[in-house]
Amino acid sequence: MSHPDADGHLHGAQLATVLRPVRAGNGFEEALEQILQVVRLGLVPGGERLPSERELAERLRISRVTLREVLKVLQDQGLVAARRGRYGGTFVLPRPGAGGEDELRRRVEGVDIEDVLRFREVLETGAAGLCASHGLDGVRAGRLRTALAATHDAPLADYRRQDTLLHLTLAELCGSPSLAAQYAAVRASVNELLDCIPLLVRNLEHSQRQHTALVEAVLDGDADGAREVMREHCGGTAALLRGFLT
């Protein structure tokens, strides 16, 4: 089972990583990109409510008018739904199941998958090494342990979301906001591809052993070990995706 209080704290911190003030010239486009990342990363799970219009507008530093245009696009794409009333707001709709190989190939068109996977590996191994080298204090170490526990306790249907949150937590704790923001963007692209392939229990068991070894290395201050485990972990995901693409 998930840990609501800690989970909420994790999501708030990671929302701050993804939702940043946009540049004036591309306010609409950048706001759309960032809220799409929130949805694809599972920072707000299916069936739950996005932050309020006021909070989103303040975080992104855009007008309510621009924000409503962005939310309208997400509604038209079937990603969110607006509800009125006291408990209303904009709710993320549950994602459909895996779309199979045809959908995977469609999403890959126009995407340099090798570039995405290499960039992901560089960012992930860098974040793991930085966390181990700099050390995590009690609160931050606790956040990493909580994120790991959530992956162990997650039901199969929620595993990928909790996996994403663990990796985002590590990126956010590394001390480089630029790295964390870049990782959030590349992970959203990876998730679009992972959503199309089946969850394989044997692969998940292997991933969980790697997650545990990774967190232990980070908390032990073993930077080389953390980087090596992360490199191997990223390689497993890359192999799965290449396998389904070939």
Side-chain angles (χ1 to χ4, degrees):
M1 302 295 293
S2 62
H3 309 265
D5 292 339
D7 221 23
H9 174 68
L10 286 175
H11 298 175
Q14 289 153 350
L15 280 172
T17 297
V18 175
L19 297 175
R20 305 173 306 282
V22 301
R23 291 168 291 192
N26 293 319
F28 169 80
E29 291 81 3
E30 291 188 16
L32 178 59
E33 176 188 19
Q34 290 185 34
I35 297 178
L36 275 169
Q37 283 183 22
V38 167
V39 174
R40 289 171 177 160
L41 292 168
L43 297 185
V44 178
E48 294 193 13
R49 183 169 46 191
L50 286 173
S52 68
E53 286 190 5
R54 177 180 177 181
E55 181 180 348
L56 286 172
E58 287 179 353
R59 283 182 183 268
L60 296 165
R61 293 187 191 166
I62 57 174
S63 69
R64 293 279 191 97
V65 172
T66 299
L67 176 62
R68 285 168 186 155
E69 291 175 353
V70 168
L71 295 177
K72 177 66 165 57
V73 171
L74 298 179
Q75 288 179 49
D76 290 345
Q77 294 298 310
L79 297 173
V80 303
R83 298 179 196 166
R84 298 183 181 277
R86 182 178 177 185
Y87 300 105
T90 301
F91 289 78
V92 175
L93 295 176
R95 301 292 297 275
E101 290 187 24
D102 289 344
E103 176 65 11
L104 181 60
R105 292 180 192 284
R106 185 188 69 77
R107 292 186 184 185
V108 164
E109 289 178 4
V111 174
D112 186 338
I113 185 65
E114 290 300 326
D115 180 57
V116 169
L117 293 175
R118 287 189 187 112
F119 191 38
R120 180 217 175 176
E121 181 179 323
V122 167
L123 293 175
E124 291 253 36
T125 55
L130 285 170
C131 284
S133 297
H134 295 165
L136 300 180
D137 60 23
V139 173
R140 294 187 301 159
R143 286 184 55 199
L144 190 59
R145 289 193 185 97
T146 297
L148 175 64
T151 64
H152 285 304
D153 297 339
L156 197 59
D158 196 40
Y159 179 80
R160 280 210 177 119
R161 190 177 73 86
Q162 295 298 342
D163 174 46
T164 297
L165 293 173
L166 171 61
H167 285 264
L168 281 171
T169 298
L170 192 70
E172 197 241 321
L173 292 175
C174 80
S176 170
S178 296
L179 187 154
Q182 289 293 318
Y183 177 68
V186 78
R187 180 68 192 224
S189 297
V190 170
N191 280 6
E192 281 288 280
L193 302 176
L194 288 175
D195 282 345
C196 296
I197 68 175
L199 285 162
L200 307 175
V201 173
R202 183 172 178 180
N203 170 251
L204 299 191
E205 291 172 348
H206 184 216
S207 290
Q208 281 304 95
R209 290 195 294 273
Q210 291 174 331
H211 284 157
T212 301
L214 171 66
V215 170
E216 287 176 354
V218 167
L219 297 180
D220 287 344
D222 180 3
D224 288 340
R227 282 191 289 264
E228 186 54 38
V229 173
M230 183 62 90
R231 190 172 293 112
E232 182 179 299
H233 184 60
C234 289
T237 302
L240 269 185
L241 285 171
R242 290 188 188 107
F244 278 94
L245 285 170
T246 303

